[in-house]
Amino acid sequence: MKIIDAKFRSNIVFSYGSQGLKLLLGFAWATLLIKQAGIHLYGAITLLTALAATTSALLTFRTNEAVVQFHRLAEHQSDRGMARLALLMGLALDAIGAWVILLSAYLLAPLIAKLLLKDAALAPSVELYAWVMVATFIRGTGIGLLAARDRFKVINVFIVVEQLGKLLILVGMLYIGVDLSLENIVGVILLVTGLTTTCLLALVVRELVATSGATLPLGELRRYFRFSASTFVSSTLKAATQNVDSLIVGGVAGPVSAGFYGLFKQFLSPLLILVGPFTEQIHPRFVSAVADKRFGDILQTITGVGIKLWKWS
């Protein structure tokens, strides 16, 4: 069985289309927000988003990758206990990270509002955004479960619906004459993000119910923790550069400059979707190939992709 087959190609095409649609909806959201509320408010949202991404990268154990690794292997071995263990450990690590994020955000909200947003009165909005960070952080296990089962189309549908939901609610608020503020825009983001995360957690709970009674292979915990620790270290190193540029711009020059900088970065986003979907979707298939000792297929895939990239470059 080939690693890159018709289903893989179909998922990749769907992912590229979904990512493109997400970018278009994001442009529409940014344009409407700037036009109706000003670049200052958009800059504040940009800074909070960058802060959330950096904080999550610092604290995450990338449970989505761990779930893909161990749940995929469990399905390959028909080991319901390991599949259940992967999900339970993912939820536990997500919960720990979420509590650290929430506690830190509430303690540091006045400082963040003063130094980053340049307005101490915005501390309540920072505290509210902490819940957005939590809702985003705890979805890793659900994303990993879908990825382990090659259900990338479902993941992309969630992503597009989330972006569309933010845009439609914003349009509705403007239609009924709601005055836009940082707090109610954060409320919109929290509502949509929370609904998406709830759906993903429901999928995980359904899987846990289906595997209830399975014996947990506690001997695998050491291997799980070792894998999680390695991804934690790599995520921490990545966080040293990810989104820090936006935070520096905002901290030095304020939300308005951060808004313009964030708008500029929107135009660079299309370059990032070329690689992301491929690497995310090839990982579960490599896990299965390694379990089957199909090292020749892995080498052939890497070589084939490398040759194509060389021809296109």
Side-chain angles (χ1 to χ4, degrees):
M1 184 178 67
K2 290 184 177 180
I3 293 178
I4 299 181
D5 54 14
K7 183 178 181 180
F8 182 88
R9 294 188 182 93
S10 174
N11 283 339
I12 284 290
V13 171
F14 191 89
S15 293
Y16 284 143
S18 300
Q19 293 292 330
L21 182 56
K22 177 194 172 186
L23 287 175
L24 289 176
L25 292 171
F27 282 131
W29 154 271
T31 301
L32 190 60
L33 189 60
I34 292 171
K35 183 177 180 181
Q36 299 296 327
I39 191 69
H40 186 279
L41 180 55
Y42 177 72
I45 292 294
T46 299
L47 288 172
L48 289 177
T49 303
L51 180 63
T54 302
T55 304
S56 296
L58 282 169
L59 294 175
T60 185
F61 285 92
R62 283 169 39 190
T63 51
N64 60 318
E65 294 184 16
V67 170
V68 168
Q69 182 80 15
F70 288 89
H71 198 280
R72 183 85 172 196
L73 186 60
E75 289 191 334
H76 181 269
Q77 298 174 347
S78 299
D79 188 342
R80 297 170 73 246
M82 184 186 291
R84 183 176 177 82
L85 180 67
L87 297 179
L88 289 173
M89 288 304 303
L91 290 176
L93 291 175
D94 283 345
I96 292 171
W99 276 112
V100 173
I101 288 175
L102 190 62
L103 181 61
S104 300
Y106 268 82
L107 290 175
L108 297 175
L111 188 64
I112 293 170
K114 182 179 180 180
L115 297 181
L116 195 62
L117 303 182
K118 310 302 182 185
D119 187 349
L122 295 178
S125 296
V126 176
E127 294 173 353
L128 185 61
Y129 199 86
W131 289 100
V132 176
M133 296 166 67
V134 167
T136 303
F137 194 87
I138 62 176
R139 64 174 56 174
T141 301
I143 294 291
L145 175 60
L146 290 173
R149 293 183 167 173
D150 277 335
R151 302 189 66 184
F152 291 98
K153 290 180 180 178
V154 178
I155 295 174
N156 282 289
V157 167
F158 274 126
I159 291 173
V160 171
V161 169
E162 190 171 84
Q163 193 67 53
L164 179 62
K166 289 196 302 182
L167 179 60
L168 291 178
I169 294 175
L170 179 59
V171 171
M173 292 171 64
L174 294 173
Y175 180 77
I176 63 178
V178 175
D179 291 330
L180 300 182
S181 66
L182 180 59
E183 189 166 5
N184 57 33
I185 292 300
V186 171
V188 169
I189 298 173
L190 176 58
L191 174 62
V192 177
T193 304
L195 288 174
T196 303
T197 298
T198 300
C199 292
L200 289 167
L201 289 177
L203 293 175
V204 176
V205 171
R206 186 180 68 177
E207 181 67 15
L208 288 174
V209 171
T211 57
S212 60
T215 302
L216 299 179
L218 299 181
E220 293 291 333
L221 283 176
R222 177 180 295 181
R223 191 152 62 105
Y224 191 98
F225 281 126
R226 188 163 56 243
F227 181 89
S228 297
S230 65
T231 55
F232 177 79
V233 171
S234 63
S235 294
T236 302
L237 294 175
K238 183 179 179 182
T241 56
Q242 190 179 49
N243 295 294
V244 173
D245 51 347
S246 297
L247 296 177
I248 292 174
V249 171
V252 173
V256 172
S257 296
F260 282 115
Y261 185 70
L263 196 59
F264 169 74
K265 288 183 70 175
Q266 285 266 16
F267 290 98
L268 300 179
S269 296
L271 299 176
L272 302 179
I273 70 173
L274 296 176
V275 179
F278 182 86
T279 56
E280 291 168 1
Q281 295 186 35
I282 201 68
H283 178 211
R285 291 171 177 258
F286 275 174
V287 172
S288 295
V290 169
D292 286 334
K293 301 187 186 309
R294 291 159 45 211
F295 302 113
D297 289 343
I298 295 175
L299 181 60
Q300 184 180 13
T301 300
I302 295 174
T303 303
V305 171
I307 290 173
K308 289 180 179 179
L309 290 175
W310 178 77
K311 289 180 178 179
W312 293 344
S313 62

